[in-house]
Amino acid sequence: MPELPEVETICRQLNDKLKGHVIECVTILQSGREKPAGQKLIDILRRKKIESVKRRAKLIVWHFSDGTALVTHLKMTGSQILVDKKYIPKKHDRMVFEIGPHCLVWADIRKFGHINYLDSKEFADLLVKYGPEPLTLKPEEIAKLFIKPKTRNIKSALLNQQVIAGIGNIYADESLFRAGIKPTRRLGSLSAQDRMNLAKAIQEVLKEAIKYKGTSAQNYYDANGQKGSFVQRLNVYGRKNQPCKKCGAPITRIVVAQRGTHYCPKCQK
Ligand SMILES: [Zn+2]
């Protein structure tokens, strides 16, 4: 699933191209995951001017000049890719937008993603459901998020979008590796230094991943249809039984919070 660095990459690319342009035409190829549904959404979006495209948590938000927003959650396999105006739709495409001189396709192989048009109040209500952004807080503020509840394990805390927004399985595992913390550790067992190390590791990993335009572990593509290259820099995620890049011990895979979790049994305590 695209996480913070992947969605941030897409939003920056879309903002560069779409900012200031007007939606000229909307085509729904597969209905069912958009709100409001069908023609109603088409009528609403036509002639809307995109003021900016920004990320919040793992959401792509198109802000319109009238204060309303179009919010996409890509979920497992979604993409928003800029294409040529002569583009011929493919099997998994859901919607096509003609925006100024550009054309954009929202596609989704597994169909878990959704796109919602929200007024300013609905948008504000949605944002309340998410925890703080890891790249706007200071490390000491992030560290405080991992104090309670003491019995929760740190991997679950990192994945919980109400605790901290935008982190998923890849960057939870990578942050814990860099901080030297085993994913099963209870929050109550973490020292102040552990929490601080983790806070710094989270920011470091996310910033680096944005620099490399994200991780294409499965089928993630950015808004230009390119793969992210952070996958080569992963230390633990997806590296079961491969040697740890730091100590050589084989990377272990266990299940924590119902998610496949990778860590180095020697480097992470
Ligand atoms: Zn190691």
Side-chain angles (χ1 to χ4, degrees), residues 105-236:
V105 178
W106 171 42
D108 194 359
I109 298 167
R110 290 179 66 184
K111 302 175 183 169
F112 291 119
H114 48 78
I115 200 163
N116 294 333
Y117 174 77
L118 305 174
D119 66 27
S120 53
K121 189 190 175 295
E122 290 167 328
F123 182 59
D125 290 345
L126 173 72
L127 295 194
V128 172
K129 294 177 186 163
Y130 291 94
E133 285 289 330
L135 292 179
T136 53
L137 294 185
K138 292 186 184 125
E140 46 270 36
E141 292 170 320
I142 297 175
K144 281 183 193 157
L145 304 173
F146 307 125
I147 295 175
K148 283 179 184 173
K150 288 183 175 185
T151 53
R152 177 182 278 162
N153 67 59
I154 185 60
K155 171 87 187 235
S156 308
L158 288 169
L159 294 178
N160 188 324
Q161 298 301 299
Q162 289 171 319
V163 174
I164 188 164
I167 299 174
N169 216 21
I170 298 174
Y171 300 103
D173 285 3
E174 291 298 312
S175 300
L176 287 167
F177 174 81
R178 290 201 193 194
I181 297 169
K182 202 174 164 183
T184 49
R185 287 273 298 276
R186 303 280 156 184
L187 299 190
S189 79
L190 299 177
S191 66
Q193 189 60 55
D194 287 335
R195 289 193 293 269
M196 197 59 184
N197 290 346
L198 179 59
K200 287 178 180 166
I202 290 168
Q203 292 195 324
E204 197 183 281
V205 168
L206 294 176
K207 282 181 192 165
E208 211 177 298
I210 291 170
K211 192 175 144 197
Y212 289 93
K213 298 189 167 65
T215 303
S216 291
Q218 278 113 26
N219 37 25
Y220 158 73
Y221 293 94
D222 68 19
N224 296 324
Q226 305 290 314
K227 290 190 168 193
S229 59
F230 193 69
V231 69
Q232 287 132 25
R233 310 185 100 77
L234 296 175
N235 285 302
V236 285

Side-chain angles (χ1 to χ4, degrees), residues 177 235-236 243-251 263-268:
F177 174 81
N235 285 302
V236 285
C244 170
K245 292 178 182 176
K246 213 160 136 190
C247 76
I251 299 300
Y263 74 101
C264 172
K266 270 196 175 173
C267 295
Q268 292 173 256

